Amino acid sequence: MNKPSPVHRRHLLRSCARAAALAVPGWAGLTTGARASVATLPAERALALRHLHTREHLPPLVYAQADAYLPPALQTLNRFLRDHYSGDIGVMDPPLFDLLHRVQAALGGRAASLSAYEVISGYRAPATNQHLKATRGGGVATRSLHMDGRAIDVRLPGVPLAELRDAARSLKAGVVGYYPRDNFVHLDTGRFRT
């Protein structure tokens, strides 16, 4: 079995500490803005996902209740959203799941009855990111938030891509990237920009 590199190990430890802080009631790790956005969410929050590369399906999974993220559910989501090139498992930023939940809510009742989000990319290991940057003609950011577990590329069957983008933009939270040629919307928990 390969031993993780010191850089990857440090990233994993930092991310685990962040996830542990977020799982504690009282929202110890959340900024004031993030606390405000979580406060407007329903008490129980769930997501359903289908990964286009691994062909795995995650039925609706409750990942948060009230002001606490649920560590077993977060572990399931981390594994599901692993780097599909290398198999490396990162630690996803729990507010990213809230962003996905809020986008679905912004689409209205119609979105709740639709199928799962289709995931194109979740976590990306630094080595994978470097390889993609070198081979994709500049279409991958050098310091991609995918490497920090703070980004996801998705689409939602039954919702036009532009409508998904507009719902995400209406929240004025994080980054919304629109890639109609590749048929996905990029969402991350960085500062708001489009």
Side-chain angles (χ1 to χ4, degrees):
M1 186 156 116
N2 292 341
K3 195 173 187 182
S5 71
V7 173
H8 181 67
R9 189 178 301 114
R10 278 194 300 271
H11 168 74
L12 184 61
L13 290 172
R14 253 194 327 269
S15 298
C16 286
R18 180 177 67 217
L22 290 172
V24 175
W27 313 338
L30 296 177
T31 64
T32 303
R35 285 185 196 122
S37 72
V38 168
T40 63
L41 289 168
E44 185 173 275
R45 300 183 299 284
L47 287 173
L49 304 170
R50 189 166 68 85
H51 203 296
L52 297 181
H53 295 286
T54 65
R55 305 279 187 225
E56 294 171 312
H57 177 75
L58 188 65
L61 173 69
V62 175
Y63 68 88
Q65 290 180 327
D67 63 349
Y69 294 104
L70 306 176
L74 296 182
Q75 289 174 348
T76 298
L77 287 162
N78 289 340
R79 185 184 180 296
F80 185 86
L81 294 169
R82 68 192 177 277
D83 182 328
H84 64 271
Y85 290 96
S86 69
D88 290 350
I89 298 172
V91 177
M92 301 302 290
D93 187 23
L96 183 63
F97 305 135
D98 288 334
L99 183 57
L100 288 168
H101 193 277
R102 291 175 64 211
V103 168
Q104 231 167 356
L107 288 164
R110 179 172 70 94
S113 65
L114 295 172
S115 60
Y117 275 105
E118 293 181 339
V119 177
I120 290 86
S121 182
Y123 173 72
R124 190 181 299 149
T128 298
N129 197 74
Q130 185 177 6
H131 173 74
L132 293 175
K133 177 121 179 96
T135 60
R136 296 272 170 102
V140 174
T142 301
R143 243 336 278 147
S144 171
L145 290 181
H146 284 278
M147 296 188 300
D148 296 329
R150 296 180 60 201
I152 192 166
D153 300 333
V154 295
R155 60 183 175 235
L156 191 58
V159 175
L161 201 61
E163 193 175 330
L164 180 62
R165 173 205 60 202
D166 294 345
R169 284 182 178 172
S170 75
L171 301 175
K172 299 197 182 320
V175 174
V176 181
Y178 179 59
Y179 299 90
R181 191 182 75 201
D182 297 316
N183 194 24
F184 71 84
V185 171
H186 168 95
L187 301 171
D188 70 47
T189 57
R191 64 177 176 77
F192 176 67
R193 63 191 189 283
T194 59

